[in-house]
Amino acid sequence: MAAVKSQAGPGAMQSATGRKKDGLVRHCVQEKADAQKHRPNSVLRSFSAGFGEAWPANLEQTNTVLSLQSSNVHLPYRSPESVEMDEIMAAMVLTSLSCSPVIQSPTQRDALPHGPLDMECGGGELSDSGSSGYWSWEHGSVSPAPSPSVTETDSSMGQLGDEGLRVEPDPGARDEPENRWCKSWSRGAYRCLWPSCGKVLTSRVGMKRHIRILHLGGAEQSHREEDFYYTEVSSEEEEPTSPSLSFTSGPWSSCSSTHSQPTSREAPPSSSAFSQSAPSSVWQIHTEHLYQAPCAPIETTKSPDSPSSCDWTSAGLQLRPQISVSRSRSVSVGEQWLQRNNVPNRSHTISASPSRGHCSTRKGRGEAKKCRKVYGVERRDQWCTACRWKKACQRFPD
DNA sequence: CATGCCGGGGT
DNA sequence: ACCCCGGCATG
């Protein structure tokens, strides 16, 4: 978008504005804490839940792979390195498998009350395991082609393949449009979701290794958990949208609004848990605003670097980067999300609406940079529309 | 004084 | 609805 914008003259701005309407939907399904149970099965379950039928086409293939795995697993001896690699592979397979529509595991499958898109509940507790900040789009993007290179896995994997995995063609199960399109536009970068890490690597294996070694302490048991601690990000998204937009402090990427999707956003399922949730999931937000900011996608990132998890509340929601939110609808992104999902919201989102409610009192100047500051008067055409019209800034709401 | 934006007006 | 701007509050 940024590029488009910059190239386009003022006149084009308007069209850009129009385009904005199709904000990007980052609909992400958040996994529940349950997923955190460190068990292979739970891993599979949770993933499957999140992905819905991500790649039905791969089911057969997947099964095949599993079979192979189960039959090849027990190798008398292998060098530590090879073992590690195998485990990595295993993790990859797991990841791939997670896309299967329904991976049933005999036990407590019903225990997980996740419905399609029920982020809210997941959010309820992103607890410590911290990885829960899982958004379907992120995972959905996990290479459509389930690492072909996988040839074998450790025994546990094999078992899973044999008994734990029963893939049934259940297209309707959790078929979310978002999942589909989401997966389509991400490609290769992986970001560590570990709190205050945010490392981005281009290889999945590398990321897994990073997580396992640095964050999971290389624990044996953790081999299959890496998946929870990283997320795939689209390189596309990483592209800077606008020069000054990226004040995000972390490695967080921004998303561009070039995608035609209604906007949606990840929001903290529960205001409080929010901060802790997803160690550092990226809150990418695309909002529409009344005034249709010409430029761009608004992106929000939860500041990863904030040592203390709770940032949302401080500094106007932390929508640091740019968020354009229409005042008329509440302002906080989180709120918006909550509203959409009928989640009883409230609490932290201070940022917003007060101004409208009791209008007389103009709220003091927020510390947030406004378009004027960011772009300067000379680049007024890059301001959000609201700013241009001398209205409350939509891009950088307080 | 610069900034943010309400309220109101023009098209 | 879109756009602009006077004028006021704020820092």
Side-chain angles (χ1 to χ4, degrees), chain A residues 143 202 352 359 381:
Chain A
S143 78
T202 53
C359 50
D381 59 334

Side-chain angles (χ1 to χ4, degrees), chain A residues 280-316:
Chain A
S280 36
S281 45
V282 182
W283 305 97
Q284 295 177 320
I285 297 168
H286 288 242
T287 1
E288 240 344 76
H289 59 262
L290 263 40
Y291 299 107
Q292 299 178 321
C295 19
I298 310 96
E299 48 192 273
T300 301
T301 50
K302 175 181 177 293
S303 73
D305 54 352
S306 63
S308 63
S309 43
C310 297
D311 273 315
W312 266 61
T313 53
S314 61

Side-chain angles (χ1 to χ4, degrees), chain A residues 234-313:
Chain A
S234 151
S235 55
E236 205 176 318
E237 297 176 282
E238 309 269 15
E239 294 174 5
T241 30
S242 166
S244 51
L245 303 188
S246 48
F247 354 111
T248 63
S249 44
W252 309 104
S253 60
S254 59
C255 44
S256 71
S257 61
T258 53
H259 309 285
S260 59
Q261 285 290 332
T263 73
S264 113
R265 54 211 51 93
E266 297 74 9
S270 79
S271 49
S272 59
F274 175 75
S275 50
Q276 298 172 340
S277 64
S280 36
S281 45
V282 182
W283 305 97
Q284 295 177 320
I285 297 168
H286 288 242
T287 1
E288 240 344 76
H289 59 262
L290 263 40
Y291 299 107
Q292 299 178 321
C295 19
I298 310 96
E299 48 192 273
T300 301
T301 50
K302 175 181 177 293
S303 73
D305 54 352
S306 63
S308 63
S309 43
C310 297
D311 273 315
W312 266 61
T313 53

Side-chain angles (χ1 to χ4, degrees), chain A residues 30-345:
Chain A
Q30 181 163 18
E31 285 309 324
K32 340 193 109 45
D34 305 62
Q36 305 303 322
K37 307 301 181 193
H38 305 294
R39 274 170 301 161
N41 278 347
S42 69
V43 172
L44 286 174
R45 272 200 305 280
S46 62
F47 271 103
S48 66
F51 296 145
E53 58 156 9
W55 303 293
N58 292 328
L59 291 179
E60 280 192 41
Q61 182 182 345
T62 301
N63 280 338
T64 302
V65 172
L66 280 176
S67 300
L68 287 175
Q69 294 170 348
S70 57
S71 56
N72 292 341
V73 251
H74 304 290
L75 297 183
Y77 167 80
R78 278 186 275 171
S79 67
E81 260 198 37
S82 71
V83 170
E84 186 178 68
M85 283 309 293
D86 288 342
E87 287 165 347
I88 291 172
M89 291 307 199
M92 294 174 74
V93 171
L94 262 180
T95 301
S96 301
L97 287 174
S98 65
C99 307
S100 314
V102 177
I103 296 176
Q104 296 187 341
S105 108
T107 55
Q108 46 175 269
R109 185 186 163 212
D110 295 330
L112 302 175
H114 39 254
L117 287 195
D118 63 345
M119 306 166 63
E120 55 271 39
C121 45
E125 69 160 79
L126 303 168
S127 71
D128 50 44
S129 0
S131 47
S132 340
Y134 274 62
W135 313 110
S136 63
W137 66 273
E138 294 174 328
H139 288 278
S141 57
V142 185
S143 78
S147 53
S149 57
V150 176
T151 52
E152 56 184 1
T153 54
D154 65 18
S155 57
S156 65
M157 283 297 291
Q159 292 174 359
L160 263 179
D162 289 340
E163 51 183 69
L165 289 180
R166 185 160 67 87
V167 181
E168 14 178 276
D170 183 355
R174 332 191 146 282
D175 185 348
E176 299 171 45
E178 288 87 351
N179 281 337
R180 298 217 190 100
W181 74 261
C182 281
K183 70 179 175 188
S184 68
W185 63 276
S186 58
R187 50 194 176 187
Y190 301 88
R191 175 164 44 238
C192 178
L193 293 175
W194 196 268
S196 71
C197 176
K199 180 167 184 140
V200 176
L201 295 176
T202 53
S203 108
R204 189 197 309 277
V205 172
M207 179 52 70
K208 285 176 184 290
R209 183 187 294 263
H210 160 84
I211 292 169
R212 189 175 61 248
I213 294 175
L214 291 183
H215 302 313
L216 298 177
E220 297 263 335
Q221 189 185 7
S222 61
H223 287 145
R224 286 171 292 282
E225 296 175 16
E226 302 95 330
D227 284 320
F228 286 108
Y229 299 101
Y230 74 87
T231 182
E232 181 170 350
V233 297
S234 151
S235 55
E236 205 176 318
E237 297 176 282
E238 309 269 15
E239 294 174 5
T241 30
S242 166
S244 51
L245 303 188
S246 48
F247 354 111
T248 63
S249 44
W252 309 104
S253 60
S254 59
C255 44
S256 71
S257 61
T258 53
H259 309 285
S260 59
Q261 285 290 332
T263 73
S264 113
R265 54 211 51 93
E266 297 74 9
S270 79
S271 49
S272 59
F274 175 75
S275 50
Q276 298 172 340
S277 64
S280 36
S281 45
V282 182
W283 305 97
Q284 295 177 320
I285 297 168
H286 288 242
T287 1
E288 240 344 76
H289 59 262
L290 263 40
Y291 299 107
Q292 299 178 321
C295 19
I298 310 96
E299 48 192 273
T300 301
T301 50
K302 175 181 177 293
S303 73
D305 54 352
S306 63
S308 63
S309 43
C310 297
D311 273 315
W312 266 61
T313 53
S314 61
L317 276 194
Q318 254 6 354
L319 301 182
R320 229 47 243 230
Q322 10 181 301
I323 280 188
S324 53
V325 178
S326 72
R327 284 192 160 195
S328 55
R329 311 184 244 172
S330 64
V331 180
S332 76
V333 177
E335 251 185 335
Q336 289 185 9
W337 181 86
L338 288 172
Q339 289 180 346
R340 291 195 183 191
N341 293 273
N342 287 325
V343 176
N345 57 13

